[in-house]
Amino acid sequence: MNQIQLLLMGGAACLILASAGVLEAEPGSRLSREELIAKRDSAKERATTKLAPKEEAEAAKHPSQSSILDSSVLLSDGRNWTFIPKGALLYIPDRLKDRVNLTESKGKYVPFDQFAQRNRGWLSTHSVTLEQARGNEPIKDSVRKVLVNSGRVIVTVCKGGPITTRPPKVAVASAGA
């Protein structure tokens, strides 16, 4: 570094220390090393106190500590694993139940699209519309039968990503009928 850079850095350090209240000594007096360290530490403490969130406000924002995995189902092929939202499983054959809903993730995490591609022998996806996912439109029974007969784990997806699919809403019979 050249002399100009050193002078600029020293001036900036003095301005920072002065704004933090570290350099409050009378002009012409010298602070000992211990006094300077104590002032610096108190300035740091004041700065962090101002920035620290209040516990009550923090508790109001985050009522419970939950993980995305708490609302997900794990899928594993023994070497890789991924997760999908609960409710995205349309069908699970009995012979493949050991690959679904695992409590422990073993192996390497793989994003769902790659996991589905690697495991297309036992895992399949079915595209649904947002209306079907919301339960406003049912998935046709003929489609469900074909999916069940495939013998694969079926995951509902919308626009390429897994999505929770709610059961269809039952049409309420009109009062006059």
Side-chain angles (χ1 to χ4, degrees):
M1 282 192 206
N2 62 30
Q3 288 182 344
I4 294 174
Q5 288 175 326
L6 286 173
L7 285 172
L8 287 174
M9 286 179 57
C14 287
L15 286 173
I16 292 170
L17 291 172
S19 68
V22 174
L23 301 177
E24 294 176 352
E26 295 177 24
S29 67
R30 289 192 58 160
L31 294 174
S32 69
R33 180 170 165 52
E34 291 78 23
E35 290 172 326
L36 188 59
I37 290 172
K39 284 191 174 268
R40 181 196 66 197
D41 291 344
S42 68
K44 279 184 184 176
E45 199 172 302
R46 284 193 308 263
T48 55
T49 303
K50 290 177 186 175
L51 296 177
K54 299 194 180 210
E55 289 181 28
E56 297 166 7
E58 190 67 26
K61 287 182 185 175
H62 306 287
S64 66
Q65 295 294 327
S66 64
S67 166
I68 192 168
L69 294 177
D70 293 340
S71 60
S72 302
V73 175
L74 298 180
L75 302 175
S76 175
D77 64 4
R79 289 176 292 156
N80 300 307
W81 66 276
T82 194
F83 62 93
I84 60 172
K86 286 183 180 174
L89 286 169
L90 193 60
Y91 176 69
I92 309 166
D94 287 337
R95 66 182 177 83
L96 295 173
K97 286 189 182 207
D98 61 332
R99 297 182 185 212
V100 178
N101 236 352
L102 304 170
T103 55
E104 252 182 56
S105 54
K106 293 181 182 175
K108 179 182 166 190
Y109 168 76
V110 179
F112 175 76
D113 58 338
Q114 292 175 14
F115 186 85
Q117 190 175 20
R118 290 179 184 177
N119 293 287
R120 59 182 172 254
W122 63 270
L123 179 67
S124 185
T125 60
H126 175 69
S127 294
V128 294
T129 65
L130 283 176
E131 290 302 309
Q132 288 173 321
R134 291 179 182 139
N136 296 335
E137 267 181 41
I139 297 173
K140 293 180 182 177
D141 286 337
S142 59
V143 172
R144 282 185 184 269
K145 286 178 185 174
V146 169
L147 294 172
V148 167
N149 289 334
S150 73
R152 296 178 180 171
V153 172
I154 308 295
V155 177
T156 55
V157 295
C158 184
K159 298 182 182 178
I163 188 170
T164 296
T165 304
R166 295 186 177 153
K169 297 175 183 171
V170 178
V172 179
S174 61

